[in-house]
Amino acid sequence: MWELPEWPFLTFLALASVAFVVVAVAYVAKWVRHPQAARAELRHPVKMAFAPTITIAVLILATAYAEIAPTLATVLWWVGAVGHLLATVLVLTAWAGRGDIGASQITPAWFIPVVGNIVTPLAAGSVGSVELAWVAFGVGVLFWVALLPLVLERVLIHAEPLPARLLPTLAIFVAPPAVALLSWEVLTGRVDDPFGRVLHAAVLAFVAVLVAQAGRLHRIPFALPYWAYTFPLAAAAVATTAMAGARPGWGYDLVAGALLALVTALALYVLALTLRAAVRGQICVPEEAPRPAPATMAP
């Protein structure tokens, strides 16, 4: 929209592609060398919600490659779209059928497996199926509306607060309305109609709430959940940029530019922290087992 050069996009796409390959190879190696641990992770009441980030990442890469490598993008899109719908069914089945998954396991990451379907339409018009994209969009929006009250209750009612390590996942609240707005633009050609403007209002509201928590969030020691900040804020920047292109005035441009600068700096900062932690051997290590409760004497 602002006629910026293309090289930053290509640079970040190359970094994203390399990161995806590195993580994918490491994850396959985990299944080969430690299949029981990998299987346990997929069954973990909290961690299982993060597994479908794999198919979301595939869909994001398909969107990024749609113009420069359409054949590759088409393959990635179908793998990601069908794979994420399958992941949705599997996770919903686990949530419905397992007695060990209750209110204390709800986190903002619950949006990932089911609401993540709203990512599917982003490249559907150029390298995928618009019909399947509408199905995925409907599933994603429906479950966003359904899960939002549950996740808000988990966050706002402090009887069982989120563990400090998972507090960065609060940023995930930003992602559903932001990506839904972009998918709505792809599917309908409109971004500033009433539905689009309501979605964008939700984006700005959740960004404001997240920024208001910055002081508390900054005190949390670094861990891999820090990456939860990056995708939602990037989606918010793109959604606001799309709105700026459709609405008059400079206000949207100002907010979009600020969000773009923020998330670019934040992504590089989190990357630097991750590399430092990797060098120090502080990531990909077993979690500490919970300490047993102290024994008590009967009265």
Side-chain angles (χ1 to χ4, degrees):
M1 189 189 74
W2 298 315
E3 298 182 359
L4 297 177
E6 194 176 35
W7 67 263
F9 158 70
L10 296 175
T11 301
F12 281 116
L13 176 57
L15 289 173
S17 302
V18 171
F20 181 85
V21 171
V22 170
V23 174
V25 170
Y27 192 54
V28 170
K30 180 177 183 176
W31 272 97
V32 172
R33 298 182 61 186
H34 309 285
Q36 293 183 341
R39 196 173 295 111
E41 191 173 69
L42 289 183
R43 290 187 54 81
H44 191 279
V46 176
K47 293 180 181 178
M48 65 187 299
F50 291 94
T53 55
I54 298 171
T55 45
I56 291 178
V58 171
L59 287 167
I60 293 297
L61 287 174
T63 304
Y65 277 109
E67 293 185 5
I68 60 176
T71 302
L72 173 63
T74 300
V75 174
L76 291 174
W77 188 89
W78 281 101
V79 170
V82 176
H84 201 81
L85 283 171
L86 177 61
T88 296
V89 173
L90 293 175
V91 172
L92 285 175
T93 301
W95 287 345
R98 288 177 50 178
D100 61 330
I101 299 178
S104 61
Q105 278 78 45
I106 296 175
T107 73
W110 271 39
F111 290 129
I112 295 171
V114 287
V115 184
N117 285 286
I118 59 176
V119 178
T120 297
L122 294 180
S126 54
V127 297
S129 165
V130 174
E131 294 300 322
L132 182 57
W134 271 111
V135 172
F137 183 77
V139 171
V141 170
L142 173 67
F143 279 102
W144 176 48
V145 174
L147 288 177
L148 184 58
L150 295 177
V151 181
L152 280 173
E153 181 182 20
R154 174 76 169 93
V155 170
L156 298 179
I157 306 300
H158 299 290
E160 293 182 273
L162 282 177
R165 183 184 179 92
L166 289 179
L167 284 177
T169 63
L170 292 173
I172 298 176
F173 278 107
V174 177
V179 181
L181 175 60
L182 296 169
S183 292
W184 182 251
E185 181 183 27
V186 171
L187 293 171
T188 67
R190 293 294 304 275
V191 69
D192 62 338
D193 60 358
F195 183 59
R197 298 186 72 176
V198 168
L199 288 174
H200 190 249
V203 172
L204 296 181
F206 284 126
V207 168
V209 171
L210 182 65
V211 171
Q213 302 291 318
R216 179 171 65 134
L217 296 174
H218 183 67
R219 293 192 294 270
I220 300 170
F222 172 75
L224 289 184
Y226 261 48
W227 282 99
Y229 296 128
T230 58
F231 176 76
L233 289 174
V238 180
T240 305
T241 303
M243 187 64 72
R247 299 297 302 170
W250 54 268
Y252 289 107
D253 294 81
L254 182 63
V255 176
L259 286 172
L260 181 60
L262 170 65
V263 72
T264 303
L266 184 63
L268 293 173
Y269 175 65
V270 175
L271 175 61
L273 291 178
T274 303
L275 293 175
R276 185 182 69 176
V279 170
R280 295 177 175 179
Q282 296 173 340
I283 64 173
C284 301
V285 295
E287 294 182 355
E288 294 182 3
R291 297 180 180 178
T296 55
M297 298 283 293

